[in-house]
Amino acid sequence: GVDALIVTGDTDMLQLVRDGIRVLTSRWRFSDTVTYDSAAVRERYGLDAAQLVDLKALIGDKSDNIPGVPGVGEKTAVTLLAQYGSLDAIYEHLDEVPTRFRDKLAAGRASAELSRRLAMIVRTAPVQLDLEACRVHTFDRLRVVALFRELEFRTLIDRLPEPRPAPRPALRPTQQLMMFAGTDDAQPAAAGAAHARRRSRSRRW
């Protein structure tokens, strides 16, 4: 029920796009950003976001060690998915696929199914969303530095901002006098305050 914008450099996240979920990614160091909604995904790939997992199942991804189906390229995969809708439907209609791709798909079926499992982002992880905990607030810099060292985020340590100092509480008049105790200016003020207290006591009696 919460609109989300996922900011990432990983286009694998595009499979999560749907109503209420967009992905902002970049082509190069966030100097050229693109925000993807469902229409933008279809414009780029010619497929719906939900079909991108099956696309990767067919074409693979060397950077993620996803094998795909040898001999099946992106153009062929997009054409097949646009026609049949899903990886399972392609294999259900394998006898209709042109022979030059049918044999490759048949031989690579196990690889395609493995690739789909590798490419799919798990959406059933037991994660609870606490919006109140997401509020930005001051932080314990020493604890954050220790965590960054544990996680080996070495380059981020120097980029940590110094926490803002907490505002100092306003001083009461008696505290202000104590700050100047022992100075020439404070002695008359302190004497005046003592005289006022004596007069107050005498009036009570």
Side-chain angles (χ1 to χ4, degrees):
V2 178
D3 288 343
L5 176 65
I6 302 172
V7 181
T8 177
D10 188 355
T11 55
D12 288 345
M13 292 293 177
L14 295 179
Q15 65 183 265
L16 300 178
V17 170
R18 61 179 187 272
D19 289 344
I21 298 181
R22 297 173 298 149
V23 171
L24 186 150
T25 187
S26 66
R27 294 189 176 95
W28 177 249
R29 294 181 179 271
F30 285 98
S31 60
D32 183 13
T33 60
V34 181
T35 301
Y36 287 94
D37 56 11
S38 298
V41 170
R42 174 160 281 281
E43 181 180 353
R44 175 173 175 179
Y45 292 96
L47 299 171
D48 293 332
Q51 295 175 293
L52 297 184
V53 173
D54 288 350
L55 175 63
K56 187 159 288 192
L58 290 169
I59 66 176
D61 187 343
K62 291 181 179 180
S63 64
D64 288 335
N65 293 319
I66 298 176
V69 176
V72 175
E74 182 170 348
K75 184 177 180 180
T76 300
V78 169
T79 299
L80 291 172
L81 287 170
Q83 181 176 355
Y84 296 106
S86 69
L87 183 68
D88 291 334
I90 291 172
Y91 279 104
E92 288 172 4
H93 298 84
L94 194 58
D95 58 332
E96 301 173 9
V97 175
T99 305
R100 65 182 185 279
F101 299 121
R102 186 190 311 159
D103 295 341
K104 295 174 182 178
L105 288 166
R109 183 165 188 168
S111 180
E113 293 174 349
L114 170 63
S115 298
R116 180 168 55 182
R117 291 199 300 274
L118 293 174
M120 186 178 296
I121 295 174
V122 175
R123 306 184 188 189
T124 56
V127 176
Q128 298 296 322
L129 176 62
D130 183 355
L131 288 177
E132 190 62 32
C134 297
R135 292 184 182 276
V136 178
H137 51 77
T138 56
F139 61 94
D140 185 334
R141 194 175 193 281
L142 293 179
R143 289 181 61 190
V144 175
V145 169
L147 177 63
F148 279 12
R149 285 176 176 161
E150 178 185 345
L151 300 176
E152 299 184 0
F153 293 165
R154 299 183 183 89
T155 59
L156 296 181
I157 293 177
D158 294 336
R159 295 165 59 182
L160 270 177
E162 293 291 341
R164 296 178 180 178
R168 299 179 63 180
L171 296 176
R172 298 190 300 273
T174 53
Q175 291 175 311
Q176 293 174 340
L177 291 173
M178 291 173 62
M179 289 178 61
F180 295 99
T183 66
D184 293 339
D185 293 339
Q187 290 174 359
H195 178 66
R197 288 195 296 272
R198 286 195 297 271
R199 288 185 61 187
S200 175
R201 285 197 297 270
S202 66
R203 283 197 298 269
R204 288 199 300 271
W205 287 103

